[in-house]
Amino acid sequence: MSARESEGDGAGVRLHVVTGKGGTGKTTVAASLALALASGGGRVLLVEVEGRQGFAQLFGCPPLPYEERKVADAPGGGEVLALAVDAEAALMEYLELFYGMRRAGTILSRFGAVDFATTIAPGLRDVLVTGKATEAVRRRAGADRRRGTREAARAPFVYDAVVMDAPPTGRIAQFLNVNSEVAGLARVGPIRNHADKVMETIRSPETAVHCVSLLEEMPAQESLDGIAELTEIGLNVGSLVVNMVREPLFDARTLEAAAAGELDTEVLTRGLKAAMLDQPEERSRQLATEIVEHARRVQAETKIRRWLSAVEHPMRELPLTSDGITVESLYELAGRLREQGMA
């Protein structure tokens, strides 16, 4: 591991935003990161914003409501809670907190006004969704009882960290740049004030955006584009997490020869004959084809790894789990992230 890879990027960060191209396993990485951050006695909240109930599936629990619920224990006495953010429910809560208008919000919902508003002004939906996550970051114990007092400012935070499973990298900059999104919607007033407070948290050193990629050209390119966009708008990029990494099955010399089409099939045939297998020549040709394909895949992945390692951010790697993603594998991946300094 290089010096850059071993640098920790979790110190001082309390909002971890996880993004990645669809199919890269960003939800799995977010869940694993939450377990890693909670290890040793921490309390971490997972926030889902896309309505896919990915965390419920990963942890094998009922669908998550718009309510924080415990989904896992972490090593060392920690715990992970999860929340599925719904834009309509967030609006109801917003109206009640800032205007005391929960009943009015219910009426608006009944007539479809909420869906209409968030359709014609998608920036409003993003403000509501990200607002829930940033509120959880800022929330302190006993805040309701001591709001506005000096004691409230010194009270411990309810969560040590919040991990958000965010939209894909193709939309992440727009999703997080809520101030820009609501500029044409509300230049002044409570909505704009709310967006400003959300943006203050997102732009602070307490927030980091982690990009999840694979050793494949399209996810890698989308991650690099996403990192460039995030940097351009002044947001803090954390780690580049390369997921589902497969170890080479052969030594470097064999892989190099196979990729160049110089694999000695006669050696394979003799080995198969020694093992007394049927049709050794045919099996040898089939095996040689698979070895060549494997070698060329490893060669392509090595090229993409070098390409990704050029970014000025820590790069972490997580292995492909052979039996799919289970709760046990989430703990294993969490351990890998801790070993690499991400938590």
Side-chain angles (χ1 to χ4, degrees):
M1 184 183 298
S2 70
R4 181 171 64 84
E5 288 173 323
S6 63
E7 293 172 358
D9 59 347
V13 175
R14 300 191 58 252
L15 175 58
H16 297 262
V17 181
V18 180
T19 184
K21 181 177 172 59
T24 58
K26 68 181 178 66
T27 301
T28 298
V29 172
S32 302
L33 178 57
L35 285 169
L37 292 165
S39 298
R43 193 166 191 258
V44 176
L45 176 66
L46 271 169
V47 178
E48 181 179 282
V49 301
E50 295 184 284
R52 295 183 295 106
Q53 290 294 336
F55 294 138
Q57 295 174 40
L58 284 175
F59 289 104
C61 62
L64 296 169
Y66 184 66
E67 180 181 318
E68 292 151 37
R69 293 198 176 171
K70 183 176 176 180
V71 293
D73 291 308
E79 62 178 2
V80 174
L81 291 85
L83 164 72
V85 179
D86 174 76
E88 182 174 306
L91 179 58
M92 299 301 103
E93 183 177 55
Y94 175 83
L95 290 173
E96 182 177 25
L97 286 174
F98 292 93
Y99 297 98
M101 293 173 58
R102 187 172 188 85
R103 183 178 176 184
T106 304
I107 294 171
L108 288 172
S109 175
R110 189 181 307 159
F111 285 97
V114 175
D115 286 339
F116 177 73
T118 54
T119 298
I120 64 171
L124 175 60
R125 180 181 293 272
D126 291 348
V127 170
L128 294 169
V129 170
T130 54
K132 184 62 178 176
T134 56
E135 179 276 325
V137 171
R138 298 189 304 268
R139 195 188 313 161
R140 294 181 181 271
D144 290 338
R145 290 186 292 103
R146 299 178 296 186
R147 183 174 294 167
T149 67
R150 292 183 180 179
E151 289 79 6
R154 292 195 295 266
F157 288 109
V158 171
Y159 294 107
D160 296 289
V162 175
V163 179
M164 181 197 294
D165 181 15
T169 38
R171 202 174 85 79
I172 189 63
Q174 179 186 20
F175 173 76
L176 292 176
N177 198 19
V178 294
N179 230 342
S180 172
E181 285 298 293
V182 300
L185 177 68
R187 297 186 182 277
V188 295
I191 292 178
R192 184 54 189 251
N193 292 340
H194 184 57
D196 287 343
K197 181 169 277 191
V198 169
M199 209 64 217
E200 181 182 344
T201 300
I202 290 175
R203 287 192 181 279
S204 78
E206 290 187 324
T207 296
V209 186
H210 310 293
C211 295
V212 181
S213 182
L214 302 178
L215 291 176
E216 297 176 8
E217 188 171 343
M218 288 184 65
Q221 184 61 64
E222 188 163 314
S223 292
L224 295 176
D225 291 343
I227 288 171
E229 285 186 66
L230 291 165
T231 302
E232 186 178 351
I233 63 174
L235 300 188
N236 303 314
V237 177
S239 286
L240 174 58
V241 181
V242 182
N243 197 21
M244 305 185 207
V245 175
R246 294 170 287 187
E247 292 295 327
L249 300 177
F250 303 96
D251 61 80
R253 181 177 296 178
T254 301
L255 290 171
E256 185 177 353
E262 300 171 355
L263 193 65
D264 191 342
T265 56
E266 290 185 6
V267 173
L268 290 175
T269 301
R270 288 197 297 270
L272 294 173
K273 285 181 177 179
M276 302 182 69
L277 294 176
D278 295 335
Q279 300 178 315
E281 291 83 2
E282 178 64 24
R283 288 176 183 268
S284 174
R285 285 191 292 271
Q286 292 173 351
L287 184 58
T289 299
E290 292 181 10
I291 294 173
V292 169
E293 289 176 355
H294 173 74
R296 289 174 178 169
R297 176 180 62 77
V298 171
Q299 195 175 62
E301 290 178 347
T302 300
K303 180 180 178 181
I304 292 172
R305 182 183 278 109
R306 292 198 200 102
W307 184 25
L308 290 174
S309 65
V311 302
E312 294 300 318
H313 302 284
M315 190 168 81
R316 325 294 184 182
E317 293 194 9
L318 292 176
L320 176 69
T321 54
S322 57
D323 298 325
I325 298 298
T326 63
V327 174
E328 290 73 20
S329 62
L330 290 177
Y331 284 94
E332 180 184 343
L333 296 175
R336 295 289 188 108
L337 291 175
R338 286 182 63 81
E339 288 171 5
Q340 295 179 66
M342 197 170 171

